[in-house]
Amino acid sequence: MTATPTDALVPLTRTPLFDHHVAAGAKMVPFAGYEMPVQYPMGVLKEHLWTREKAGLFDVSHMGQAYLVSADKKHETAAAFLERFVPADMIGLGPRQQRYTQLLNEDGGIIDDLMVTALDPARHPGVLMLVVNASRKDVDFAILAAAADQTKSIRLVPNRQYALIALQGPAANAVLTAMAPAAAAIPFMHGERIDIGGIAAHVSRSGYTGEDGFEISVLASDVADLWSRLAADDRVQPIGLGARDSLRLEAGLSLYGHELDETTSPIEAGLAWSIQKRRRSDGGFPGADRIRRELSDGPRRKRVGIQPEGRAPARDGTEILSENGDKIGVVTSGGFGPSVGGPIAMGYVAAQHASPGTPLNLMVRGKPLPARVVALPFIPHRFRRQPDAS
Amino acid sequence: MALERFTKDHEYVRLDGDIATIGITKHAEGQLGDIVFVELPEVGRKVDVGEAIAVVESVKAASDVFAPIAGDVVAVNEALTDSPALVNEDAEGQAWFFKIKIADPASVEDLLDRAAYDAFVAENG
């Protein structure tokens, strides 16, 4: 994992859980301007496997949270505003529904990727909740706030007083519903305001591990209490950024600054699924020309899964060669997949080399390492698409 | 008893006659975390002091292992290729990396002794 470059003169920010991490023996590292736990005493490998087997608890309070608020309290007002910046169908987002999308630049490159939830209209009519990357939140919020200021009908309200934690893994549902029965009924990719043992929380069933689980937004003043209560469950262990990275890599999920950047389009990145039909036909988002062209003609390069032969991992930045030795791409994330039990990587290759099974060579320490293109994800997703029938 | 020395790159060197057994220290193993891959030099390779001749990769990152002394690689620990995690289990015992037949046994004396290495670790983390 590469930390986002941070100006050494700028002091690092601490999340409200900093003392908890230190007390738990976490190794703290700078990440996107924050001092974050990269691993706990259990270590990255065991933390990763624990999350796949039971439930992992993650502090993701460094991520940016904000609300887009319509002055007229209508969903369509905030949704239409956001559609000017993202290619997903926001107007069609139902109450409490959550969608993954990207903020795009005029060239169709990705400024950031984010989660958007339409808050419960009974409680917060005309409000979209945004969760964006820590390293990009200043950029994102500046763009949206500047445009909102022009409209008078929309306000961007950064939600700095809230922390964010994630509970992920096959036991996450049982752990959370024991404390908050209402969590059981939250469908995949939906978010709701519920009570967790007296703590008001916004809980969405989503995450970044490929497992069932939740992301929980609570007041910074409540988060340590909630963290302690969740961590007290025998099925729960705190998990650092190291395992968060290997979990998302195995799940084939992109990381901003690695798979995604301002030159990469959502189509190259394999995110066409996140652009709904109406937006494809009508456009009206930045870079629509490029994106619609890539949708019809295919992109020049594609994000692929890569399985190196042997045991040597190929890291971010590794050059990818074709069988004939032509340079055809680059690895954007690579390492060891604990659940796969071997090295795995993602990267971009020229489109004609992107079919699963295509042989490649990875230039590792000056030597070609044989590898092949494989379908993503490396580990099948185990999202819980149907809530409990109860 | 074999002479034991250390480097500031967190390697240990155990000298038995003119054969030095080299691996990474327990401290280095702890810093690296879970080891998932070890690449060893070829037997017969002639190496200079400071030459990167092996690689150890943890779940987090790849690190070079340097030749702490000059000489010829006479053996490598193949067990690490199949079981890299052995480094986490027994860094300063079973998980040695390679053996070098050294050109100048006296050169080992110049490396850090245990007390000096421990002090270096305490100071530099």
Side-chain angles (χ1 to χ4, degrees), chain A residues 55-339:
Chain A
L57 185 60
F58 303 74
D59 179 12
V60 286
S61 301
H62 58 314
M63 298 191 77
Q65 303 182 63
Y67 300 125
L68 269 183
V69 181
S70 311
D72 63 6
K73 300 187 183 296
K74 290 198 169 92
H75 167 72
E76 290 71 19
T77 308
F81 172 82
L82 191 56
E83 283 194 1
R84 289 165 48 195
F85 305 92
V86 306
D89 180 357
M90 288 295 144
I91 292 170
L93 194 64
R96 300 182 300 279
Q97 197 185 348
Q98 184 177 47
R99 246 173 207 166
Y100 169 79
T101 190
Q102 308 84 35
L103 275 179
L104 300 178
N105 64 26
E106 287 305 320
D107 301 321
I110 300 171
I111 296 169
D112 197 6
D113 63 335
L114 67 157
M115 290 289 235
V116 182
T117 310
L119 294 188
D120 184 352
R123 198 186 280 267
H124 298 291
V127 180
L128 296 176
M129 178 177 168
L130 315 180
V131 178
V132 307
N133 282 299
S135 61
R136 303 297 287 171
K137 62 183 169 187
D138 293 345
V139 173
D140 301 345
F141 294 166
I143 291 169
L144 294 173
D149 283 350
Q150 307 268 310
T151 68
K152 310 294 178 212
S153 59
I154 296 286
R155 275 187 310 132
L156 179 81
V157 184
N159 195 359
R160 292 192 194 89
Q161 69 277 34
Y162 276 71
L164 190 67
I165 61 177
L167 183 68
Q168 300 277 301
N173 188 67
V175 170
L176 189 60
T177 55
M179 288 169 61
I186 302 175
F188 181 61
M189 291 301 277
H190 281 70
E192 286 182 35
R193 179 75 172 240
I194 64 169
D195 179 280
I196 308 176
I199 296 172
H202 183 270
V203 177
S204 68
R205 193 183 287 268
S206 52
Y208 198 42
T209 59
E211 300 294 329
D212 180 37
F214 304 94
E215 294 202 342
I216 306 170
S217 172
V218 291
L219 273 173
S221 52
D222 286 335
V223 73
D225 183 17
L226 179 58
W227 178 274
S228 300
R229 286 201 247 167
L230 289 168
D233 192 299
D234 286 346
R235 294 163 288 189
V236 176
Q237 282 289 334
I239 308 297
L241 291 182
R244 183 169 162 84
D245 193 47
S246 56
L247 287 159
R248 70 93 195 165
L249 176 55
E250 282 187 344
L253 300 171
S254 294
L255 173 61
Y256 198 87
H258 290 253
E259 285 70 41
L260 313 179
D261 62 29
E262 294 221 31
T263 69
T264 313
S265 80
I267 312 307
E268 292 174 329
L271 303 174
W273 59 268
S274 69
I275 307 177
Q276 286 75 24
K277 200 172 156 196
R278 177 175 61 82
R279 304 306 310 277
R280 294 185 189 205
S281 53
D282 296 0
F285 50 86
D289 289 350
R290 172 187 179 183
I291 284 166
R292 293 165 74 185
R293 188 176 63 244
E294 289 182 353
L295 277 168
S296 64
D297 303 346
R300 194 174 49 81
R301 55 176 182 161
K302 287 182 178 171
R303 177 171 65 96
V304 293
I306 300 164
Q307 183 99 59
E309 284 175 24
R311 298 186 65 104
R315 306 283 175 176
D316 179 17
T318 300
E319 204 169 82
I320 304 173
L321 307 182
S322 70
E323 265 196 313
N324 318 334
D326 299 327
K327 184 179 180 330
I328 54 164
V330 66
V331 171
T332 48
S333 291
F336 182 81
S339 304

Side-chain angles (χ1 to χ4, degrees), chain A residues 39 45 311-313 315 365, chain B residues 34 37 55 57-58 60 81:
Chain A
Q39 65 173 78
L45 207 67
R311 298 186 65 104
R315 306 283 175 176
R365 290 181 284 276
Chain B
D34 303 303
F37 175 71
V55 175
E57 298 213 22
S58 72
K60 289 175 280 183
T81 311

Side-chain angles (χ1 to χ4, degrees), chain B residues 20-91:
Chain B
T21 301
I22 293 146
I24 67 167
T25 63
K26 185 146 183 48
H27 170 78
E29 168 274 312
Q31 292 297 110
L32 289 168
D34 303 303
I35 308 294
V36 296
F37 175 71
V38 173
E39 187 176 273
L40 297 165
E42 277 175 36
V43 172
R45 178 169 165 185
K46 196 174 271 304
V47 297
D48 277 329
V49 178
E51 207 176 312
I53 61 168
V55 175
V56 55
E57 298 213 22
S58 72
V59 284
K60 289 175 280 183
S63 309
D64 286 321
V65 179
F66 303 95
I69 38 173
D72 298 307
V73 177
V74 292
V76 296
N77 189 357
E78 300 284 2
L80 301 187
T81 311
D82 293 331
S83 308
L86 199 58
V87 180
N88 294 115
E89 288 156 26
D90 194 12

